[in-house]
Amino acid sequence: MKRMMFTVAMLGVSAAMIRAEHPTPVQTIERATEVLSQLDKIPAKGIPPKLLAEAKGIAIIPRVIKAGFIFGGRGGHGLVMTRNDKQEWSDPTFVDIGGASVGFQAGVQSTDVVLVFYKKDTLKKILAGNGKLTLGADAAIAAGPLGRQAAAATDGKLQAEIYSYSRSRGLFAGVSLDGAALMSNNDDTALFNRDKSKETIQAVVNLKNKLVTLSEEPAPRR
């Protein structure tokens, strides 16, 4: 009985943390840019430029909160960007991530999540109307290759539809993205589309520039 009560209490704490903050669209854009900047500072654990250069789209979800004890939950807000035939990045579409898991897990963790999409059809499941994509069920997901020198090892071997990257803070065990769902947030996207402020326009430019920079192979050392 005590264990059940403790579990219920932890679930309540988890849900409260997940709902605690809903950033504005411009805050989400700025945080997404910061996530990419942090990944770029650790080349040994970053996204290979070749992989990103060939991607059809990307999802960036800063500060995904995972919390629980035996029963766990996750939640967060982020954005999706797609690439057109001219290799130009689109403006962001906003999404939420949510899901539950059962297993041995304890503690609380804040994780920055980046998902690299390799198929347009996978992206359509999120971007169409009230879209929803369940990772691992609707699309195969795998841990992405790491480091700027990993591209050569991935040629001809990229089989998953989505490659995942993350940067974690805190303590958590038993973490998996399988079963998590990405859901379109039409309210945030509509709010962003109405926002013509210089701050928001510049934030989008900064994010697109960061994606272009990360897609470029580094110059060889002399």
Side-chain angles (χ1 to χ4, degrees), residues 49-113:
K50 178 178 173 60
L51 187 145
L52 193 54
E54 296 178 357
K56 304 302 181 184
I58 190 170
I60 309 168
I61 308 103
R63 306 182 188 182
V64 176
I65 296 294
K66 303 185 186 80
F69 181 77
I70 306 302
F71 293 88
R74 62 169 67 83
H77 313 284
L79 55 82
V80 171
M81 299 174 71
T82 60
R83 183 182 262 136
N84 62 24
D85 293 337
K86 296 181 180 180
Q87 298 302 298
E88 299 168 334
W89 288 101
S90 70
D91 284 346
T93 296
F94 293 84
V95 296
D96 298 325
I97 189 171
S101 56
V102 180
F104 179 75
Q105 48 191 305
V108 176
Q109 183 186 49
S110 174
T111 304
D112 299 324
V113 174

Side-chain angles (χ1 to χ4, degrees), residues 32-192:
T33 305
E34 177 62 20
V35 169
L36 294 180
S37 297
Q38 292 300 320
L39 280 172
D40 194 32
K41 290 179 180 179
I42 46 174
K45 295 184 179 180
I47 304 172
K50 178 178 173 60
L51 187 145
L52 193 54
E54 296 178 357
K56 304 302 181 184
I58 190 170
I60 309 168
I61 308 103
R63 306 182 188 182
V64 176
I65 296 294
K66 303 185 186 80
F69 181 77
I70 306 302
F71 293 88
R74 62 169 67 83
H77 313 284
L79 55 82
V80 171
M81 299 174 71
T82 60
R83 183 182 262 136
N84 62 24
D85 293 337
K86 296 181 180 180
Q87 298 302 298
E88 299 168 334
W89 288 101
S90 70
D91 284 346
T93 296
F94 293 84
V95 296
D96 298 325
I97 189 171
S101 56
V102 180
F104 179 75
Q105 48 191 305
V108 176
Q109 183 186 49
S110 174
T111 304
D112 299 324
V113 174
V114 178
L115 304 175
V116 181
F117 291 80
Y118 251 62
K119 293 186 178 181
K120 287 185 177 180
D121 288 344
T122 307
L123 286 161
K124 290 178 181 178
K125 296 176 182 177
I126 307 173
L127 302 177
N130 295 317
K132 179 180 178 181
L133 177 73
T134 301
L135 303 176
D138 295 332
I141 184 170
L146 296 173
R148 296 194 180 279
Q149 304 305 318
T154 64
D155 287 343
K157 298 179 181 179
L158 296 174
Q159 302 297 325
E161 297 176 68
I162 305 172
Y163 290 89
S164 63
Y165 295 84
S166 65
R167 187 172 67 99
S168 300
R169 299 175 293 275
L171 177 63
F172 199 87
V175 175
S176 173
L177 283 176
D178 281 343
L182 278 179
M183 298 156 286
S184 60
N185 188 317
N186 295 330
D187 290 340
D188 278 7
T189 300
L191 184 61
F192 164 76

Side-chain angles (χ1 to χ4, degrees), residues 26 30 197-204:
V26 69
E30 291 171 344
S197 67
K198 292 182 179 180
E199 177 189 16
T200 298
I201 293 172
Q202 187 60 54
V204 173

